[in-house]
Amino acid sequence: MQDNLEKIGARVYLYEKDALIKKITYIYADGTEGEPLPRTIHLGMFTDSILFGEECQIRFYVYPFSLRLYDTDVDSFEFINGADRTVNISCFGKQITLSPGENGKLTNCE
């Protein structure tokens, strides 16, 4: 485990099944990518969510072909769209639309 390394962001791998996110990994200051975080899908009464990490450090609301971040412990996300459809993503008060096979990045620049 890479507990002693500084997290500089996370990489989000998108696909079409099971709440749009296949896996999330942390990216560390030395350029390495960590192991996939544990994933839990929470089926809500109105909105589903997907939670990542032992303590649910990264959380997204899931809508049809769109995601909205509602909690995180990093200030940067790199999204890799492996889905066959366009996915809309909202986080840090910004939005990005990724076509199939397209990658993008959103950063919290407070």
Side-chain angles (χ1 to χ4, degrees), residues 1-5 7 26 28 34-38 53-54 57:
M1 189 121 186
Q2 297 169 311
D3 292 331
N4 58 338
L5 296 176
K7 292 181 269 190
Y26 284 126
Y28 296 96
E35 293 294 316
L37 297 173
E54 293 291 336
Q57 298 95 312

Side-chain angles (χ1 to χ4, degrees), residues 2 29 44 55-56 67 72 75 81 84 86 88-89 92 95 100-101:
Q2 297 169 311
E55 298 174 11
C56 301
L67 298 166
T72 186
D75 288 325
N81 188 2
D84 293 333
T86 298
N88 297 304
I89 303 160
F92 308 125
Q95 295 204 2

Side-chain angles (χ1 to χ4, degrees), residues 19-108:
L20 290 177
I21 302 175
K22 183 176 187 176
K23 65 181 177 178
I24 293 181
T25 58
Y26 284 126
I27 305 300
Y28 296 96
D30 68 353
T32 60
E33 180 175 3
E35 293 294 316
L37 297 173
R39 181 180 94 137
T40 303
I41 296 172
H42 179 261
L43 302 176
M45 286 182 69
F46 301 104
T47 304
D48 296 342
S49 57
I50 187 165
L51 317 171
F52 288 89
E54 293 291 336
E55 298 174 11
C56 301
Q57 298 95 312
I58 300 175
R59 304 174 195 178
F60 283 91
Y61 289 120
V62 180
Y63 302 96
F65 300 104
S66 68
L67 298 166
R68 183 169 54 99
L69 179 73
Y70 74 91
D71 194 22
T72 186
D73 62 346
V74 296
D75 288 325
S76 176
F77 284 103
E78 178 185 344
F79 295 92
I80 299 169
N81 188 2
D84 293 333
R85 298 184 185 226
T86 298
V87 178
N88 297 304
I89 303 160
S90 174
C91 62
F92 308 125
K94 303 171 187 172
Q95 295 204 2
I96 189 172
T97 300
L98 297 177
S99 298
E102 190 174 26
N103 300 341
K105 190 171 185 176
L106 288 172
T107 304
N108 187 9

